[in-house]
Amino acid sequence: MTETMQEDGPRRRISLRDQLDCVPVYVVWETTLACNLKCIHCGSRAGHRRAHELSTDECIDVIRQLAELGTREISIIGGEAFVRKDWLTLVRAIHDHGIDCTMQTGGYKLSREMIEAAVAAGLLGLGVSIDGLQPLHDRLRGVPGSYREALRVLNDCRSVGLIASVNTQITAAVMPELAEVMDVIIDAGAKFWQIQLTVAMGNAVDHDEILLQPYELATLMPLLADLHRRGRERGLLLLPGNNIGYFGPYEVLWRGPDRGYYGGCPAGQNAIGLEADGTIKGCPSLATERYGAGSVRDTPIAELWANHPALQFNRDRGTEHLWGFCRDCYYADVCRGGCTWTADSLLGRRGNNPYCHHRVLQLAERGIRERIVKVEDAPALPFATGRFALIEEPIPLEVASA
Amino acid sequence: MSDPAKPTQARTSPMLILCRQCVQYVFEGTVTCPHCGGDAREASVRYREGGYLGVEAILKIERAAERRRG
């Protein structure tokens, strides 16, 4: 499943010109939905390939079109991208079109020889998912041995000379293990560590006990700040994913000061998500039902990008869509409700995001916290959402005094 | 006439800067910081010793250059 928006390298950096001209700088591409893991938090419910995935020729034409639009990085994901027989052809085609190519993987059965071949084809970086220490990781990823394999891939990257990063999904269970996970991945050679909250989508709705409660950000964020500082001292850069935020006392630590600050959801303005059958969205993780903007098989990407309403929703930087706490937030004009995927998947509508540190702190000043309760399951489809109720309650006395 | 295959130009969000007291983000032009209540323009020891004035200067130059290019 998608763990997107990796390290903020110079080519990834979005300029004012990029923003104004809506250049699709960054593309995350599910090249197949086939997967060799069975992750219980997978939003796309990956496993089997889609019925009509793009052919090799169609994929190469997509790459050509994206290059013409100014795309600077394509991250291929799945499913598991290397399950596609032509994955190296696609890596090479991306590279040959002058676009940086990265890949996100679970790492299971990705051999050293395959990594070497990918580097030769032009792969610039590999993101490997590690969601906890062995028992937790293997349980979440649904395949015994997947943790060992992920670490082996990190070590292979180091010996091959490929930049390796680690993606970690923040679930309710992983918090106590994070410090130890950091030790392990530093030892295995990782230089970047991207943290992303598990979102209430697909399989994660079926297993909602793994979801973090919004009020738990009060514990998580100081922990991440501490890990960020300690990681830096040891050559590891902890990077916040798009749903880690927003603002609050640690924003300057992990997003600034020289690299800026959270500027709102980039979906459909500087980012594109592609599904394996050619469906285009503003972000790969968004619910297809509400954010699918047609197929690149039927219509040129430039035309969809310029005209389709499902890709336009972020471009006027408006705040009319905000509701709940986010509507009256101090940062509303910039943050605009944070990660669209997180809010929309949870509450069925974007613009109100309880997974926000600033919000948690503001509510705590009033003695209030928020928790979520599932009220509707998600259909058995990729990128399907359920429905959660947001409960506001007094902070229990024992927590407040602690 | 506009090109139908080219997106209409987008808008940008208001600019944030750091409060020079508590080092949290505030809107450009803020005098009293909504987070710490201090004078957001007055550099604190933490701000000076953290090297934030230097970063501020670099960002100003970068933004000016970007505006000129734009």
Side-chain angles (χ1 to χ4, degrees), chain A residues 15-17 19-22 247-249 251-252 255-258 260-261 263 269 302-303 305-307 315-317 330-331 333-334 336 358, chain B residues 3-18 23-27 30 34-35 46 52 55 59 62-63 66-67 69-70:
Chain A
S15 69
L16 182 62
R17 192 75 265 161
Q19 287 178 48
L20 291 171
D21 292 347
C22 301
F247 302 99
E251 181 75 10
V252 70
R255 288 202 174 92
D258 54 328
Y261 48 82
Q269 185 169 5
E303 201 176 313
W305 184 246
N307 301 316
R315 295 182 188 175
D316 68 357
R317 312 311 283 173
Y330 174 73
Y331 291 110
D333 286 332
V334 178
R336 303 172 59 255
H358 173 70
Chain B
D3 181 351
K6 203 171 176 196
T8 311
Q9 200 165 67
R11 295 194 186 137
T12 54
S13 301
M15 192 70 79
L16 295 177
I17 55 169
L18 285 171
V23 200
Q24 291 206 49
Y25 284 96
V26 295
F27 286 91
T30 297
H35 308 300
R46 178 187 169 196
Y52 292 106
V55 173
L59 285 176
E62 281 181 1
R63 282 173 188 158
E66 196 160 20
R67 281 194 201 104
R69 279 198 301 272

Side-chain angles (χ1 to χ4, degrees), chain A residues 228-240:
Chain A
H228 182 96
R229 291 188 188 101
R230 287 162 50 195
R232 265 193 172 171
E233 288 166 9
R234 299 168 63 191
L236 178 80
L237 186 59
L238 185 151
L239 295 158

